[in-house]
Amino acid sequence: MDLFYAHVEDRTVPLAETVEALAGCVQDGRVGTLGASNHATWRLAEARQHAAARALPGFCAVQQRHTYLRPRPEPAAGLQRETDEELLDYAAAHPDLTLLGYSPLMEGAYTRPDKPLPERYDHPGTVVRSRVLAEVAAECGATANQVVLAWLMGGPVPVVPVLGVSSVAQLDECLAALDLALDPYQRARLDTA
């Protein structure tokens, strides 16, 4: 297995025990690389520090929910975590850590009227960001989905989007985002909206 994720941390198990058990999977060749998903940034940092202090393989990737629209500021209910400024700052300071974003296109909510925004993203701040997203997409001759993906991949901390598609047309649309370069003015407008 190339990449093994620890999804949703079990805080009833000591962190050292988890880190050492996962490192053992890499050391014995069952796993190539370790990743974490839906972990708090401070716990990710502690796990990586524990592994480094013992010269063990540690987490090299982190996967959190990440998209262009921002969620409401209150904590999310449930197990999923959004990428936040703390994680982006941590990833920027640790270039050996790959950041992956799941649900970047919010199951079609950017482009399909029959797919409403998830409730956490349906708030007044979304209106402005959605308008700027539409403007930049029109300027680029691209879809909103393509702009979201280009924005994620081309940021100061590049994010690898984790995509789910159900047709070749959707795959082609997503792949076209690889060729979309946002100019600094467009990126600034998207970032500050």
Side-chain angles (χ1 to χ4, degrees):
M1 179 179 307
D2 292 334
L3 175 61
F4 183 83
Y5 276 111
H7 283 280
V8 187
E9 178 186 13
D10 180 354
R11 298 255 179 113
T12 66
V13 176
L15 184 63
E17 185 178 324
T18 300
V19 169
E20 291 167 18
L22 292 171
C25 293
V26 174
Q27 290 171 324
D28 69 15
R30 288 182 287 157
V31 173
T33 303
L34 298 173
S37 180
N38 294 310
H39 282 55
T41 303
W42 69 273
R43 293 290 285 181
L44 175 70
E46 281 189 2
R48 285 170 47 91
Q49 288 170 344
H50 183 85
R54 288 152 187 82
L56 296 172
F59 294 128
C60 297
V62 60
Q63 178 178 292
Q64 308 285 73
R65 178 182 291 277
H66 195 38
T67 188
Y68 173 66
L69 294 179
R70 295 180 179 138
R72 293 173 198 247
E74 67 268 8
L79 302 174
Q80 296 180 340
R81 292 185 172 269
E82 279 102 0
T83 298
D84 57 14
E85 290 304 316
E86 181 181 29
L87 180 57
L88 290 169
D89 185 52
Y90 182 79
H94 297 86
D96 63 322
L97 182 67
T98 299
L99 182 56
L100 297 98
Y102 69 82
S103 297
L105 303 179
M106 293 193 294
E107 300 174 13
Y110 284 110
T111 57
R112 291 183 50 187
D114 64 318
K115 297 284 188 171
L117 286 173
E119 187 176 332
R120 282 190 45 73
Y121 294 87
D122 191 7
H123 57 84
T126 293
V127 174
V128 173
R129 282 180 81 84
S130 294
R131 186 187 74 241
V132 172
L133 176 61
E135 291 169 1
V136 170
E139 291 167 12
C140 295
T143 66
N145 286 341
Q146 290 166 335
V147 173
V148 168
L149 296 174
W151 177 81
L152 285 168
M153 294 181 294
V157 178
V159 176
V160 177
V162 178
L163 300 168
V165 300
S166 57
S167 71
V168 173
Q170 289 176 354
L171 178 61
D172 289 342
E173 176 189 13
C174 291
L175 290 173
L178 292 168
D179 297 323
L180 179 59
L182 301 172
D183 68 37
Y185 177 66
Q186 290 167 329
R187 177 162 286 285
R189 285 170 44 218
L190 290 163
D191 289 347
T192 59

